[in-house]
Structures are given as structure tokens and as C-alpha cells.
Amino acid sequence: MTVQASGVIPILQKKIQQSIADDISYAEFIETALYDPVRGYYRRKSDKIGSSGDFYTSSSVHPVFAWVFADYFYDYLTRCNAPYMICELGGGSGSFAKEVLSHLKLKHPEFYNELHYLYVDVSEDHLAKAQDQLASFQCVSFYQSTDKLKSAQGTINGVVFSNELLDAMPVHVVEKREGVINEVRVSIKSTEKLEEVIVHKVQPEIEEWLNWSGLNIQEGNRIEVPLKMNEWVDEMSALIESGLLVTVDYGYSNAEWQEPSHRKGSLRGYHNHQLIENPLLNPGQMDLTTHIHIDSLLKKGKEVGFTTISCTRQRDFLLEHGLFNFLYEHQNPDPFSKESRLNRAIRSFATPGGISDSFHVIVQEC
Ligand SMILES: C[S@@+](CC[C@H](N)C(=O)[O-])C[C@H]1O[C@@H](n2cnc3c(N)ncnc32)[C@H](O)[C@@H]1O
């Protein structure tokens, strides 16, 4: 495999010059490939989400996804008598926020007038795009990290939402061989040819996480270890004083990870809407993603004081919270009309094999 001498390769070369190590963890590789401040995939200026990018998210498919959540947030915040505060983490280029705010402004203007929307994304490129898209909504404040948000706003009482944030976080990778758990790392001896290297000893934090998670790893199987996700849950518990943590993402339960089709783990790349099986290709020039560990997210949440309100398949969540209310009766035969597109998106969100597949909506409260 030959990698292109662009992307984050110069950063990896610097690591080789500075370090006596021959290899780095997958987590360090992903951190560099996605979030290096200058050359990381998410930090560079480029179209990443939507038809001109590398992948779609539900927010980019159709506004109806955001409209259902807007009504859900409205119901919760008005029922709880909580301050009208919605915080979106990893909001990308702002499509979800734009549709939530437009919908609330139209349907619940009094609520909208008291609403404060806090927008966080680590990517300067996405922040700039979001600021552009959301320029007409005075109630939005923008931050590049939850630390900056917390310094400015203090703790949050309200709703904290993310869509496909956790699947973009760095992970370690392990594999069981001859009864022993090994760490799969990335050799940086040569940046001409990035290769995996199997290291027999795993770091204590990884071993601790594996014991804690309750995962049973079968011989020959590979799996991602999301230490960052657990750190994030700690961060959320410090950030949210009272309210909901609503997390939407694709993921598997511990039982689902046992299925034969998941024995190689889930780390993969996306480039021009194509799935790239080798995550070491095109470093810095393609998205990298993993399915999240649902049981661990719930378990860690409980440990830090969250109560699990629900953990539902996205399709069921959307149906339960009014997706079909947006169906539009019309006689327009044009398949590309606004009405036809809306109804088609609703069908796709609601049916197996559509865009809701393997997504979950996890609602935790504290
Ligand atoms: C897969 S994209 C999803 C974007 C958007 N939520 C959507 O549904 O279209 C992940 C986003 O999370 C952002 N991100 C990743 N880690 C982050 C972090 N720790 N804090 C804030 N944003 C983060 C990335 O910059 C990127 O915009």
C-alpha cells in the first residue's frame, strides 16, 4: 500500500524525527489524521458532508430529521420548566441547527424568543460554515470546544445534543490472537508505507476498559476501544447540571459485537462516498469512523450519574416522536417536488434498509 505524500504525512514525518518510537496507537493516528490543527481532515477547508463531500449524515439528508428533534426539545424544555437552552456538540456545518431554529421560530415563536442555542465544533472550517448558515439567528453562540463553552456559559441546564459526534472520536484497536489481547498500532517507520504492527502488551487503560466493558472478544476478533468516549461522558457529567444528553449515532451492543460480521471491528474510511476498508490510506484526506459501543455509553453514563431514559433505534425514535406528522398529502406528480422529496425522506427514515439503519437515539438525564 502506498500512501500519498500529502495529507498529514508531513506531520507523521515530524513525529518520527521527534520521537524514538517506531509506532503510534491507532488513537494517536486518528487524532492526527482527523484533528491535526493544520492538516487534519476535519480542520482543513473542504466539503466533507453532503453530496459534494465524503459522507451524508441524517441532518444533511433532509430537514425533517431536525424538525422531529425540534419538537422533542420543545416538549421537554417546556414540560420541565427548564431554561430554554439547547447545546449542540459536533454540529458540523450547521444544517441541523438551522432547521431546528427555523422550525421553532415558525411553530413556537414565543419559545424561540427565549431560546439560547449553543453551538460547538472543533473544526474551524465547520464553525465558519455554521456561522454563515446561522447568521440570521441571533440566539446562537459559537464555541470551538466544550471547555470554552463552559468557561463562557458555566454549566448547562437544558438539552445537549449530538449527531455522529462519538463515531468521529479516536479509538484504540485490539485483536485477540492465540488467546492473548494484542494492541494493533500503526508503524511510522516509513511514511511511504503506513502499516499496522501488532504489539503483544496492551496499555493498562485499555486492559482496564476491556475488563470494565464486559465485552467478550473471540479468538481472531478485532475491536475498537473507545477510551475517548468515556472521557467525553465524564466531560458531559461536569457540563450538564440538569437536563438531557441526547446522543444519535450508529453503534452496536456487546451482544451485536459478537456477530460474525463484526469480527473485524468497524474502523473504516469514507472518501467521495465510498467506503475505504483500509483506514491507513489517504491520511488526513478521508473521514475515519467507527460504530460506537452502546452498552459502554449507557454503563459509563450511569456511573457518572445519568439515568437512561431511552435507547431506541433511530427509526423507532423518529416514529414515536411524530415523523409521520410531517407527511404531506399532495397530487404533484413531479418526483422532485418539495412535497415528494419530503415524503420520500420520511419513508427512508422510517423503513428498514433506509438511512436510519444501525442508528440509535440514546437519551440520558441528570
Ligand atoms: C461526522 S461529523 C457530524 C456533523 C454533524 N453533527 C452532522 O450530523 O452533520 C462530526 C463532527 O464532530 C466534530 N467534532 C469531533 N470531535 C469533536 C469534539 N471533541 N468537540 C466538538 N466537535 C467535535 C467534527 O469537527 C465534525 O464536525
Side-chain angles (χ1 to χ4, degrees), residues 26 173-177 184 196 198 217-224 252 256-268 277 279 289-290:
Y26 249 114
V173 177
V174 297
E175 193 172 289
K176 192 168 191 178
R177 290 188 181 185
V184 185
E196 288 186 346
I198 303 290
I217 304 176
Q218 308 281 329
E219 181 61 28
N221 283 15
R222 171 180 283 218
I223 198 144
E224 295 88 26
Y252 299 130
E256 286 172 316
W257 281 113
Q258 305 296 320
E259 291 168 14
S261 57
H262 305 150
R263 58 187 301 272
K264 288 288 164 214
S266 66
L267 178 59
R268 61 205 184 276
E277 279 184 19
T289 187
T290 58

Side-chain angles (χ1 to χ4, degrees), residues 35 42 49 55 57 59 90-92 120-123 126 163-165 168:
Y35 301 111
Y42 277 112
I49 306 172
F55 58 93
T57 59
S59 330
V120 183
D121 202 291
V122 72
S123 156
H126 278 169
N163 182 53
E164 292 207 37
L165 166 67

Side-chain angles (χ1 to χ4, degrees), residues 322-350:
L323 179 68
F324 281 168
N325 296 343
F326 293 98
L327 275 169
Y328 199 90
E329 249 185 74
H330 69 99
Q331 307 300 328
N332 190 341
D334 176 5
F336 299 106
S337 70
K338 215 168 78 186
E339 301 81 4
S340 302
R341 280 178 202 269
L342 168 63
N343 289 349
R344 207 160 42 241
I346 291 173
R347 245 190 325 266
S348 180
F349 277 120

Side-chain angles (χ1 to χ4, degrees), residues 52-115:
S52 56
D54 295 307
F55 58 93
Y56 290 103
T57 59
S58 298
S59 330
S60 65
V61 167
H62 196 279
V64 70
F65 176 75
W67 299 341
V68 174
F69 279 97
D71 284 341
Y72 178 73
F73 300 157
Y74 169 82
D75 284 347
Y76 175 78
L77 291 170
T78 48
R79 205 179 53 236
C80 287
N81 216 6
Y84 298 160
M85 186 174 277
I86 300 169
C87 170
E88 186 183 0
L89 304 179
S93 47
S95 312
F96 180 83
K98 183 178 169 210
E99 295 304 334
V100 166
L101 291 166
S102 306
H103 184 73
L104 292 174
K105 192 174 180 179
L106 186 74
K107 231 179 127 188
H108 308 289
E110 282 166 17
F111 173 85
Y112 173 82
N113 286 338
E114 285 182 42
L115 179 64

Side-chain angles (χ1 to χ4, degrees), residues 77 83-87 115-118 153 155-159:
L77 291 170
Y84 298 160
M85 186 174 277
I86 300 169
C87 170
L115 179 64
H116 193 178
Y117 200 99
L118 308 169
Q153 299 286 341
T155 50
I156 301 243
N157 296 283
V159 174

